[in-house]
Amino acid sequence: MSSGITGVTVEPNLRILVVDDNEAIHADFRKVLCGPSRTVSNLAAARAAFLGDAAPVAAPRSFEIDSAFQGQEALEKVRQAVREQRPYAMAFVDVRMPPGWDGIETVRRIWQEYPLLQVVICTAYSDYSWDQMMAKLGVSDRLVILKKPFDTIEVSQLAHALVEKWHLLQQAKLKVQELEGMVARQTVELLAANKKLQQEMAERQKTEEALRQSQKMEALGQLAGGIAHDFNNLITIIQGYAQCLLAEPQQSPLGVESLGRIVAAAGRAAKLTSQMLMFGRKKRMQPQGLDLNEVVVELSKMMERILGEDIA
């Protein structure tokens, strides 16, 4: 038996429950459904002869029939079958089964235990209208009405059709479960991929930010290097003129001191421009020792005049 759904298989289920208080009815169902059906075989042979088909015709199914004579007994058999994981595919249920539940109440209770059971209601009287059945059982595609006395071919067709329907429903259920599992796995994979993508995007954003910062520093360094170069030219001129003035013999002591301070300040400015050139990567860094005491002493002479004598 194949449903055309690849990757999902369900074993054929030929188990049928007959629920009727008349033992003769059970015997009739067994004659029709257990073993090859003479009527079905005759029809298949006639079809082969008419069409000229010499291929062998597959033998009809032989169903596994269980009997229950009251609704309570039927319910217990359904429960037991479910517990054993061998549920019935369908059931033929009589309407009148005194003194216990009638067929409609039996079906209602069975569906509470096992809602997948396909049911054929067998009735010889108009005990319930269709609307009354639907009011008790609800609208369902699992229910078929069979009028007594029933035809053997009709019984056989219903049995074959409903067990096949049960089988296809189970196949579809497994396929849905398989698809849900596949979706769950792919969802986990997508979430992991999304998390990884977010991490990569965050790292890329950091890299881009670092690149922009580096470009800013590069531009600032070029600007500082250009300013330092021009400033260094001005300092060279200041130092040159100060050296020339110091070389004149008629300079007063105060003038010599002032010119000395100018030369010293120009020297410090030259060091500053050198540092700016190093910042601008225009000059290689050459660390040198520095005497802080000497720097403080030199600065203090200039700061006394700027700040005043009241600040120590």
Side-chain angles (χ1 to χ4, degrees):
M1 185 181 299
S2 173
S3 66
I5 303 176
T6 58
V8 179
T9 58
V10 176
E11 291 297 323
N13 183 2
L14 302 179
R15 302 194 71 205
I16 296 177
L17 179 64
V18 177
V19 187
D20 198 299
D21 62 339
N22 189 342
E23 189 170 352
I25 296 296
H26 293 270
D28 292 340
F29 275 108
R30 291 182 186 277
K31 290 178 182 179
V32 175
L33 300 177
C34 293
S37 170
R38 186 184 310 169
T39 304
V40 175
S41 299
N42 291 339
L43 288 174
R47 177 182 179 279
F50 179 76
L51 298 176
D53 187 3
V57 179
R61 300 178 181 131
S62 180
F63 296 95
E64 180 184 345
I65 307 297
D66 282 348
S67 296
F69 295 91
Q70 288 293 316
Q72 293 88 337
E73 182 186 1
L75 177 61
E76 185 54 39
K77 284 183 176 290
V78 170
R79 286 173 175 170
Q80 181 65 25
V82 172
R83 284 195 296 267
E84 294 174 354
Q85 297 184 352
R86 297 180 65 245
Y88 296 105
M90 65 163 298
F92 289 95
V93 183
D94 189 25
V95 172
R96 291 191 174 186
M97 295 181 292
W101 303 331
D102 63 14
I104 303 303
E105 180 64 17
T106 299
V107 172
R108 187 183 72 82
R109 291 176 180 264
I110 286 176
W111 274 351
Q112 290 177 350
E113 296 291 331
Y114 186 61
L116 298 179
L117 184 71
Q118 305 296 312
V119 175
V120 177
I121 292 290
C122 306
T123 177
Y125 307 97
S126 299
D127 302 286
Y128 290 92
S129 67
W130 180 255
D131 291 338
Q132 288 173 329
M133 288 186 185
M134 293 303 97
K136 283 182 170 290
L137 299 177
V139 178
S140 174
D141 60 354
R142 295 161 292 164
L143 184 65
V144 178
I145 304 298
L146 178 63
K147 292 292 184 179
K148 293 181 180 179
F150 48 75
D151 183 78
T152 57
I153 293 180
E154 188 175 6
V155 170
S156 178
Q157 289 176 338
L158 282 173
H160 283 80
L162 292 181
V163 297
E164 180 68 15
K165 179 183 175 184
W166 181 93
H167 179 266
L168 292 176
L169 289 173
Q170 297 304 305
Q171 290 276 59
K173 180 180 178 181
L174 287 180
K175 185 61 178 178
V176 169
Q177 292 175 351
E178 179 183 299
L179 291 175
E180 288 176 348
M182 185 184 302
V183 169
R185 291 191 297 270
Q186 291 181 349
T187 300
V188 172
E189 293 175 358
L190 287 174
L191 290 174
N194 183 54
K195 183 178 180 180
K196 183 178 179 180
L197 179 60
Q198 290 179 347
Q199 292 175 347
E200 291 177 352
M201 290 177 63
E203 292 175 359
R204 179 177 179 179
Q205 186 175 3
K206 290 180 181 179
T207 303
E208 291 176 351
E209 183 65 25
L211 177 61
R212 286 193 294 267
Q213 189 66 22
S214 176
Q215 291 173 342
K216 290 179 182 179
M217 296 300 294
E218 181 69 20
L220 184 60
Q222 292 179 355
L223 177 62
I227 294 174
H229 179 74
D230 294 338
F231 191 55
N232 196 42
N233 291 336
L234 297 175
I235 292 173
T236 301
I237 295 173
I238 293 172
Q239 285 182 324
Y241 277 105
Q243 294 292 344
C244 291
L245 291 174
L246 283 173
E248 294 182 0
Q250 67 272 20
Q251 287 290 345
S252 63
L254 181 58
V256 171
E257 182 182 357
S258 298
L259 289 172
R261 293 183 180 277
I262 292 175
V263 171
R268 289 194 296 272
K271 291 181 180 179
L272 178 61
T273 56
S274 177
Q275 294 173 357
M276 291 177 67
L277 287 172
M278 284 187 292
F279 177 76
R281 298 179 183 177
K282 302 295 184 180
K283 183 177 179 181
R284 294 183 62 182
M285 185 178 295
Q286 295 179 350
Q288 295 179 353
L290 179 65
D291 187 350
L292 292 178
N293 292 326
E294 182 180 350
V295 173
V296 172
V297 171
E298 291 295 329
L299 286 176
S300 63
K301 296 178 181 179
M302 179 180 64
M303 297 301 292
E304 286 177 357
R305 298 181 180 179
I306 296 175
L307 299 176
E309 297 179 354
D310 57 331
I311 296 178

